[in-house]
Amino acid sequence: MTTPGTAPLTTADLVEGWRRVGVRDGMALIVHSSLSSLGRVEGGAAAVVASLREAVGPDGTVAVPAFTSDTVRDPAPGHSGPPSADIVERRAAVPLFHPELPSAMGAVAEALRALPEGHRSSHPQVSVAAVGAHAREVTARRSLGFAVGRESPFGALHDLGGYVLLVGVGHNRNTFLHYAETFAPNRRLKLRRFPMAIQGERVWIEAPDVADDNDTHFPVVGREFEEQAGIREVLVGSAPCRLVPVRDLIPFAVRRLTELLAADGPGAA
């Protein structure tokens, strides 16, 4: 293994690192990552994607968040009633979602999204990109409401017995904790608003979803689950990495989030 801070990591170094974390042939992964956390990588983000694909093999699947929530959103979310000319102009400048729309979810996620053989789900704000054996199956799911819930790509990854691979990031970046919160009876809520083309007409859609955690409960739930499950942190390059089994995480996270949100009391979200 290359010592951090000396020669750059090669694809082979990365594959060996993912193996030590626990990645195996045939796995379905969703990867939340920070490229810079790894240190120097020969070939950059493209090499990281290649190493992940090699680690899961031809029967595996690698998915990444390809969210566009900072791009495809209402610039005047608090406005109600007929819009002013200024709001009309600003809303008209918001792009409609399309598969080639870049994501701001990091260099590794964007490198995978841009692969010509990849697939991408179609939610305007919370899409997922994937390559591999089950990529089409994962990205076929879409629910406009509760976009990270049961009928989303995250539900498909859950059904596949998938894993979350955290590369240099914490559970505040683990979207499967949002998935878990959709099942909590006291879930926090927000309203998404985005434009879509319906029968040739551009319209604005409102859809409910779970609210942002803002580092409130997710780091706690993630740490507690790792302790219970005996998940160990492994360095790949300079990046602390953890591999989290989704089917074990979800019931634990639903229970703990329900408890923590109840302790917050009504109106705390």
Side-chain angles (χ1 to χ4, degrees), residues 180-193:
E181 188 168 345
T182 66
F183 298 99
N186 48 354
R187 60 195 179 188
R188 297 163 291 184
L189 296 174
K190 70 178 180 182
L191 195 66
R192 294 188 181 276
R193 203 162 187 275

Side-chain angles (χ1 to χ4, degrees), residues 3-88:
T3 303
T6 57
L9 294 165
T10 65
T11 300
D13 292 328
L14 291 168
V15 173
E16 189 271 337
W18 308 139
R19 291 277 183 249
R20 288 188 294 107
V21 177
V23 176
R24 297 290 179 264
D25 287 347
M27 278 187 173
L29 302 177
I30 185 158
V31 183
H32 296 275
S33 63
S34 163
L35 176 62
S36 62
S37 71
L38 289 162
R40 293 189 297 155
V41 176
E42 184 178 300
V48 176
V49 172
S51 72
L52 291 164
R53 298 181 72 180
E54 183 175 341
V56 301
D59 295 328
T61 304
V62 181
V64 292
F67 303 166
T68 51
S69 52
D70 289 339
T71 305
V72 186
R73 66 176 181 180
D74 190 352
H79 179 81
S80 61
S84 65
D86 173 67
I87 291 176
V88 168

